[in-house]
Amino acid sequence: MPNLAWLALPLAAFAASRFVGLVAAYMVRFVLPGTGLLFVMTRWDATWYLMIAERGYPRHLPAGDVGTPLGFFPLYPLLIRGVEEITGIGYKASAVTVNTAAAAAAAVLVWRLARDVFDAETADRAALLFCFFPGSYALTLAYTEGIFIACSAACLLLLHHRRFWWAALAGGIGSAARPTGYVLALACAFAVFMHWRETRDWKPLPTPVLAAGGLIAFLVFLHVHTGDAFAWQRAQERGWGQHLGWSGSIPDRVIDYIASPVNELNVFVPILTAVVLVPLLWNLVRVRPPGAWLVFVGASLVPSLFSTSVAFTPRHLFSLFPLVIAAAHTVRGVAFSALLALCAGTFAFFVFVMGGTTGVTP
């Protein structure tokens, strides 16, 4: 039988961090009387995923600049519906169940990826830092980070071991979770090219297409369902003003903030997150990770930093989990303990504030 003792630490770290998150979510009832844990966990964009799970996608974009479920990818809602149909526990409880299971898998896969690329001690620190990272509030909310990171970590792990077809399958599933899922196809393309350059083995060359399979399937569905394969993009542009550009992007906001600081958390948090990104990026390059990690992080940063409406919040930084692994590889001893404590406190703060106020949006 395989030795599964290594699962203990990442699962224990995950359980401990979710307990902290649940306590913070429970405290919301003291600022919003009558609210419960499901209210906190299914706020914000979670309402759109629940709407899709319950009713499916509409056939037409709405008139005017209003939000629509067409702006959200299908993997998470499909899993929610599946759990609800099997268990009958309700859509909100199903959403939390799916997210919790995926997040636990993500913690395990991040540990395994860190161990296989670096060592077991790095993996232990990486699992702890990942689970208590400030942006891990997304694993408490009914959001797609758990599913996407699990697929991404599986994809990068399989690429590391040159199991290209399985990596492409993981990437293909992940590409159905969110618009930035295409980065997994790019990571696969890079790894396959480097393998081909070294070995002249052409067999894995088609796998990047499979790694974009979820995205391609969604575009085909939208074309059949609405007559517009890019209805999701138009929904994002109309409903949330989201497209790539300079005005309103994070670099533009940083410059504006330096010129005229604003005492508002919704402005300060993205700016601070962008500042934290700089040393994390420098450290990632310094530890010389697999090239696919750099492609994954670099390709993910473009839409995160240059979207004209979406703030670069800690959950966007959290999705760039190779940064977390690299930090765990570098920071050790007392410094790591202090960093972990700071992250845990910030994580709990974000769960409470995002669950009970509109002071900081996810």
Side-chain angles (χ1 to χ4, degrees):
M1 291 182 61
N3 183 6
L4 300 180
W6 62 273
L7 291 169
L9 189 136
L11 290 178
F14 176 76
S17 66
R18 292 318 97 189
F19 176 75
V20 171
L22 287 176
V23 170
Y26 180 82
M27 298 297 289
V28 168
R29 68 176 53 215
F30 295 106
V31 294
L32 290 178
T35 58
L37 291 177
L38 283 181
F39 168 82
V40 174
M41 294 178 181
T42 55
R43 290 190 71 194
W44 305 102
D45 284 352
T47 58
W48 294 107
Y49 295 117
L50 290 168
M51 190 181 303
I52 297 168
E54 293 184 45
R55 308 174 195 171
Y57 287 100
R59 288 193 170 273
H60 304 285
L61 287 167
D65 299 333
V66 295
T68 169
L70 287 168
F72 296 85
F73 270 49
L75 179 58
Y76 188 31
L78 283 173
L79 293 173
I80 294 171
R81 176 179 289 184
V83 171
E84 158 57 19
E85 289 184 352
I86 293 171
T87 64
I89 60 177
Y91 284 99
K92 288 187 176 181
S94 296
V96 173
T97 299
V98 170
N99 194 41
T100 301
V108 168
L109 288 164
V110 165
W111 186 96
R112 186 61 180 265
L113 179 62
R115 191 206 67 173
D116 287 8
V117 173
F118 295 112
D119 52 64
E121 291 184 359
T122 294
D124 290 347
R125 292 192 298 272
L128 288 165
L129 192 58
F130 174 81
C131 290
F132 285 100
F133 195 79
S136 70
Y137 60 76
L139 303 183
T140 297
L141 304 179
Y143 271 48
T144 60
E145 271 71 15
I147 294 170
F148 181 70
I149 293 175
C151 291
S152 299
C155 181
L156 294 179
L157 177 62
L158 291 162
L159 288 176
H160 178 67
H161 293 288
R162 300 195 178 192
R163 300 181 67 178
F164 296 111
W165 291 98
W166 286 107
L169 178 61
I173 295 171
S175 70
R178 58 198 305 177
T180 55
Y182 68 87
V183 300
L184 297 175
L186 296 180
C188 285
F190 174 84
V192 167
F193 172 75
M194 297 302 291
H195 173 75
W196 175 84
R197 194 174 71 168
E198 178 185 335
T199 66
R200 289 300 189 268
D201 177 15
W202 59 267
K203 293 178 183 177
L205 292 181
T207 56
V209 177
L210 177 61
L215 169 62
I216 295 170
F218 185 47
L219 296 182
V220 171
F221 165 78
L222 288 176
H223 176 72
V224 173
H225 189 69
T226 70
D228 182 357
F230 293 93
W232 67 268
Q233 183 179 10
R234 274 171 260 289
Q236 290 284 345
E237 291 173 353
R238 292 185 190 179
W240 292 271
Q242 183 177 334
H243 59 273
L244 295 181
W246 175 262
S247 180
S249 68
I250 288 300
D252 184 42
R253 295 184 194 190
V254 170
I255 294 172
D256 287 346
Y257 187 83
I258 293 172
S260 180
V262 177
N263 186 22
E264 182 181 340
L265 278 176
N266 253 333
V267 175
F268 177 72
V269 168
I271 302 300
L272 180 61
T273 305
V275 170
V276 171
L277 170 67
V278 176
L280 289 177
L281 272 177
W282 175 83
N283 182 66
L284 177 67
V285 174
R286 190 176 70 86
V287 302
R288 303 184 65 151
W293 291 24
L294 299 177
V295 172
F296 174 82
V297 171
S300 299
L301 276 175
V302 173
S304 295
L305 293 179
F306 292 96
S307 170
T308 57
S309 65
V310 176
F312 185 59
T313 61
R315 76 180 175 93
H316 295 95
L317 191 59
F318 178 61
S319 293
L320 307 176
F321 62 93
L323 298 174
V324 178
I325 297 176
H329 181 63
T330 301
V331 183
R332 309 181 183 196
V334 175
F336 178 78
S337 298
L339 175 62
L340 185 63
L342 176 63
C343 286
T346 309
F347 155 64
F349 168 78
F350 279 137
V351 171
F352 176 77
V353 172
M354 291 175 184
T357 75
T358 56
V360 181
T361 56

